[in-house]
Amino acid sequence: MDEELERDEKVFLLSEEVAQYAGAYKVSRGLWKKYGDKRIIDTPMSEMGFAGIAVGAAMAGLQPICEFMTFNFSMQAIDQVINSAAKTYCMSAGLQPVPIVFRGPNGASAGVAAHHSQCFAAWYWHCPGLKVVSPCNSEDAKGLIKSVICDDNPVVMLENELVYGVAFELPTEAQSKDFLIPFGKAKIERQGTHITVVAHSRPVGHCLLSKEGIECEVINLCTIRPMDIEAIEASVMKTNHLVTVEGGWPQFGVGAEICARIMEGRAFNFLDAPAVLCHWC
Amino acid sequence: MRKMLAAVVSHVFSRASQKKPALRGLLASQNFSNDAPCHIKKCDLYRLEEGPPTTTVLTREEALKYYRAMQVIRRMELKSDQMYKQKFIRGFCHLCDGQEACCVGLEAGINPTDHIITSYRAHGLCYTRGLSVKSILAELTGRKGGCAKGKGGSMHMYGKNFYGGNGIVGAQVPLGAGVAFARKYLGTNEICLALYGDGAANQGQVAEAYNLSALWKLPCVFICENNRYGMGTATERAAASTEYHKRGNFIPGLRVNGMDILCVREATKFAAHYCRSGKGPILMELQTYRYHGHSMSDPGISYRSREEVQNMRSKSDPIMLLRERMINNNLSNVEELKEIDADVKKEVEEAAQFATSDPEPPLEELAYHLFYHSPPFGVRGTNKWITYKSVS
């Protein structure tokens, strides 16, 4: 975010506690001291209001980063995300782009109870006109945040609070200011031959803990919309088995969609057993 | 001899009748006043020491422009009604006849470089913001020549510095505050008018927008078009306080006679000046009235009486009020106004003809414009065997 704020005057960050509090989860620490009140803006507790203002600002020439303290609070503002941001470019037949990023922690944390633990991947990736990304480590976060800010479309970036505090090795390439992870490209975190395991966000880390004797090919989706179904198909055609892992509820979720697409596509006949969905409950 | 005389006489008369329009025009312009002072109703003020002036000057040129614009909107809305009943227009269609003074008056009080966002009752503002009648009607009928290529419809028309047309009641208010935020951020002297109705005034996000705008001193004019009914619910049944100009609490407000275009114009100029001077947002309540029901599926008489509607038409019609002003002040005459009416009728008829004959957008373009600045990609159709191409 710092690099993008430096690169382009039109980029700014707004949400609750991002400035003087340095971010509820310290993601924006140091930014207010560096860029000041104009670029890093503390808002009142008004999700629908400030999300609407962010969308309006995007329509009128700026590139806002609208943070939700957690995506649970985005439900207050979801109309602005879907109806005002995602649908506008299409409804206006290309007259009105909306270059905006909605980002924040998503999914389960530690003991924060039902109101603060929902995963919104299935809700947001259902909607055309939105791009949805879900980083699982520092490299993902760095590469994706720059891609999403540079993109001229509404993007939802689903982070995870528990991963904020984890240190990851950052490859040299990823340390460059020009490092970008493109949309729609999944990553093979580990090669394997026995079974394909597909996940996004924090569950990718869980999938990397493997059982001895079983070589899992772990696919990190990175972008969940548009989804890189080709990468999953290629892997399933190699391993003949599929497990999907996600942090959301089972019905109509990420795993359900992956299974539907595999069933419709070229990899179906390569499955030796039905796909299995793993999820939160 | 007789035949020759008859020929000469008829020749003289035919030449005289050819000269008539030019001659009439010459006489006409010589006889009209260039401008006239007009008294307008004082606005109710809230948290303001002074308000818009109670007298203004209306020039002949302005009067003709406003008259024509209001007539275009009136005729366009009535034409839309007709086309809807003929099933050329489907879906939602919310008409603003009766509220013409609001759109034309607002536009007269701001600059073209200022910004406007409004609700679904948007056709009038689409026109005053620069969209042609042709492009508006063709958008209503869902044709390629529509301002949104037939993809937006009645509630989603966009133009330069005009952000629609919004389907979700009240959502446009924070958006408008956001537009004002951006223009202030970029160091311009532009303002944004964010319009909403008396029904939308009760939405929570409107209060959030008030708070954020006042806190950050955004150059946003919040405008409540109070036409007395939120769909079918009268203001007294929906709002604990119907003094909409005071509902901004800490934001100053004006209550304006929205049926008088000069009132609207002067109030808008006042409000725009207030915002541009860096004092932050201001609120205007335009007291107006819609003749049609909420939308084309509402006859508009189950929650109000026919007499009430008729009364408003006969006593407060905005076009009638302007016409009377123009004639009484010798800014125009009945004949000239009739000529304008005929010209407007022609323009709207031609636009309607276009709107019913222009082709619909091709099915291949169904998935166009999903993403901006994006290379083409395939979009799944209604099943896995159908793919539509999407281009920016």
Side-chain angles (χ1 to χ4, degrees):
Chain A
M1 278 200 289
D2 186 5
E3 288 169 8
E4 289 306 301
L5 284 158
E6 198 170 28
R7 185 184 63 81
D8 190 349
E9 272 279 321
K10 297 198 295 294
V11 175
F12 70 99
L13 171 68
L14 87 168
S15 187
E16 298 141 349
E17 315 304 343
V18 287
Q20 294 188 16
Y21 197 87
Y25 303 104
K26 307 303 172 210
V27 175
S28 53
R29 179 165 45 208
L31 294 181
W32 175 63
K33 289 197 170 144
K34 185 172 175 184
Y35 295 103
D37 288 331
K38 185 180 176 187
R39 311 284 301 285
I40 311 295
I41 302 169
D42 275 338
T43 66
M45 302 277 160
S46 308
E47 273 76 8
M48 203 162 190
F50 71 69
I53 281 189
V55 176
M59 289 179 174
L62 297 182
Q63 299 213 257
I65 305 169
C66 176
E67 180 178 302
F68 291 117
M69 195 182 278
T70 82
F71 265 92
N72 300 283
F73 309 154
S74 76
M75 278 200 280
Q76 309 271 55
I78 200 165
D79 174 67
Q80 298 289 6
V81 178
I82 305 296
N83 283 319
S84 302
K87 295 181 185 173
T88 294
Y89 189 63
C90 183
M91 282 195 307
S92 66
L95 284 174
Q96 182 61 71
V98 186
I100 187 167
V101 176
F102 298 100
R103 51 158 291 275
N106 173 63
S109 183
V112 295
H115 283 184
H116 289 77
S117 301
Q118 188 171 331
C119 175
F120 287 84
W123 286 37
Y124 287 115
W125 89 329
H126 188 63
C127 181
L130 269 186
K131 297 183 186 181
V132 184
V133 301
S134 188
C136 79
N137 57 27
S138 301
E139 183 184 336
D140 281 358
K142 185 170 187 293
L144 285 171
I145 188 75
K146 287 172 72 74
S147 290
V148 310
I149 296 172
C150 291
D151 198 273
D152 289 326
N153 294 287
V155 185
V156 169
M157 179 147 155
L158 303 172
E159 302 157 11
N160 187 285
E161 190 225 314
L162 292 174
V163 182
Y164 285 152
V166 178
F168 293 94
E169 285 262 351
L170 198 64
T172 319
E173 185 208 354
Q175 293 176 38
S176 156
K177 278 192 179 180
D178 300 320
F179 175 68
L180 295 175
I181 293 182
F183 287 107
K185 283 278 166 264
K187 269 199 291 177
I188 314 258
E189 295 289 346
R190 181 198 292 142
Q191 302 268 4
T193 51
H194 293 150
I195 187 165
T196 299
V197 182
V198 185
H200 71 95
S201 190
R202 184 161 171 262
V204 173
H206 296 310
C207 298
L208 288 168
L209 306 167
S210 60
K211 189 177 167 73
E212 204 176 293
I214 300 179
E215 287 174 24
C216 300
E217 178 148 290
V218 179
I219 298 184
N220 169 13
L221 282 175
C222 287
T223 308
I224 44 182
R225 184 179 183 115
M227 186 169 62
D228 189 355
I229 192 65
E230 289 81 16
I232 304 172
E233 282 177 336
S235 177
V236 169
M237 285 160 76
K238 184 174 81 172
T239 67
N240 313 122
H241 295 85
L242 173 63
V243 172
T244 68
V245 184
E246 64 188 292
W249 295 315
Q251 277 152 303
F252 303 99
V254 173
E257 173 68 15
I258 292 172
C259 289
R261 300 251 205 124
I262 290 293
M263 197 181 60
E264 281 192 338
R266 58 191 176 130
F268 174 64
N269 287 316
F270 288 78
L271 281 171
D272 287 345
V276 172
L277 280 69
C278 294
H279 42 75
W280 261 235
C281 52
Chain B
M1 181 64 167
R2 206 181 297 161
K3 267 189 188 167
M4 194 240 340
L5 273 172
V8 166
V9 163
S10 72
H11 182 61
V12 166
F13 276 129
S14 76
R15 284 191 65 182
S17 69
Q18 276 166 29
K19 269 197 185 139
K20 240 191 201 167
L23 186 62
R24 190 195 315 146
L26 182 62
L27 283 173
S29 65
Q30 280 177 338
N31 278 344
F32 292 134
S33 310
N34 279 332
D35 54 52
C38 296
H39 288 282
I40 52 180
K41 186 178 170 210
K42 186 173 189 299
C43 295
D44 296 329
L45 303 179
Y46 173 69
R47 286 185 176 262
L48 285 166
E49 293 296 318
E50 48 178 30
T54 49
T55 54
T56 184
V57 172
L58 176 63
T59 69
R60 176 175 144 76
E61 190 187 332
E62 285 168 346
L64 291 171
K65 190 171 81 167
Y66 301 157
Y67 180 83
R68 190 178 197 287
M70 290 205 284
Q71 278 291 44
V72 167
I73 295 169
R74 176 68 56 91
R75 213 163 241 292
M76 181 176 71
E77 295 294 76
L78 294 179
K79 192 51 140 177
S80 303
D81 171 289
Q82 187 186 41
M83 288 165 77
Y84 195 94
K85 286 167 179 158
Q86 291 169 326
K87 298 198 196 306
F88 286 114
I89 301 174
R90 304 181 309 153
F92 289 129
C93 191
H94 308 86
L95 301 177
C96 69
D97 50 315
Q99 298 182 204
E100 294 86 355
C102 296
C103 7
V104 180
L106 288 172
E107 194 66 47
I110 57 171
N111 304 325
T113 46
D114 290 324
H115 305 260
I116 300 184
I117 190 169
T118 186
S119 69
Y120 47 75
R121 202 175 300 282
H123 306 164
L125 275 166
C126 292
Y127 177 71
T128 54
R129 278 269 100 179
L131 296 175
S132 66
V133 182
K134 220 184 215 185
S135 70
I136 295 170
L137 289 183
E139 188 57 38
L140 291 178
T141 54
R143 308 300 168 105
K144 246 173 43 172
C147 51
K149 302 192 172 85
K151 294 177 80 171
S154 171
M155 302 185 287
H156 307 290
M157 303 196 207
Y158 299 79
K160 190 164 176 7
N161 299 339
F162 179 58
Y163 306 85
N166 285 274
I168 306 298
V169 174
Q172 73 275 16
V173 181
L175 291 179
V179 171
F181 174 95
R183 302 323 290 174
K184 180 179 175 183
Y185 182 108
L186 291 168
T188 72
N189 201 24
E190 297 153 16
I191 63 170
C192 183
L193 310 187
L195 281 86
Y196 53 99
D198 47 278
N202 302 316
Q203 279 269 328
Q205 57 187 318
V206 173
E208 293 189 19
Y210 290 160
N211 182 44
L212 288 158
S213 300
L215 199 59
W216 296 338
K217 291 199 168 359
L218 301 182
C220 187
V221 183
F222 294 107
I223 300 174
C224 178
E225 279 183 296
N226 176 8
N227 61 18
R228 302 209 218 153
Y229 299 93
M231 209 157 160
T233 305
T235 51
E236 310 78 55
R237 294 176 60 228
S241 164
T242 56
E243 294 184 299
Y244 295 99
H245 64 299
K246 295 183 183 173
R247 293 274 294 269
N249 191 2
F250 31 76
I251 297 180
L254 297 167
R255 181 180 254 171
V256 181
N257 177 5
M259 303 305 266
D260 178 354
I261 193 203
L262 293 181
C263 244
V264 177
R265 180 183 80 175
E266 292 309 310
T268 308
K269 280 185 182 170
F270 177 89
H273 177 75
Y274 181 95
C275 274
R276 269 187 247 280
S277 63
K279 295 187 184 128
I282 190 168
L283 210 160
M284 271 170 48
E285 177 190 344
L286 304 180
Q287 292 185 304
T288 183
Y289 199 82
R290 53 167 162 81
Y291 297 146
H292 269 84
H294 163 70
S295 69
M296 285 305 300
S297 57
D298 170 25
I301 45 152
S302 64
Y303 49 87
R304 58 184 189 176
S305 66
R306 283 185 207 273
E307 289 72 35
E308 179 189 293
V309 182
Q310 197 38 48
N311 197 38
M312 288 302 291
R313 271 191 203 275
S314 55
K315 297 211 173 92
S316 309
D317 184 274
I319 300 176
M320 177 191 77
L321 291 178
L322 180 63
R323 184 190 290 126
E324 277 171 8
R325 268 219 170 97
M326 288 166 79
I327 292 172
N328 294 345
N329 287 293
N330 198 31
L331 295 172
S332 184
N333 63 14
V334 171
E335 287 79 27
E336 185 177 35
L337 295 180
K338 274 202 176 132
E339 274 178 26
I340 296 176
D341 292 349
D343 191 56
V344 164
K345 182 178 176 188
K346 185 161 165 281
E347 180 182 343
V348 173
E349 288 298 330
E350 278 172 10
Q353 179 55 33
F354 173 77
T356 48
S357 57
D358 198 46
E360 289 177 348
L363 189 59
E364 299 79 58
E365 292 182 17
L366 184 68
Y368 278 21
H369 312 119
L370 283 184
F371 293 122
Y372 183 51
H373 279 165
S374 187
F377 63 101
V379 173
R380 183 189 172 106
T382 52
N383 57 58
K384 70 169 187 173
W385 293 287
I386 299 175
T387 303
Y388 294 109
K389 188 174 175 190
S390 182
V391 298
S392 281

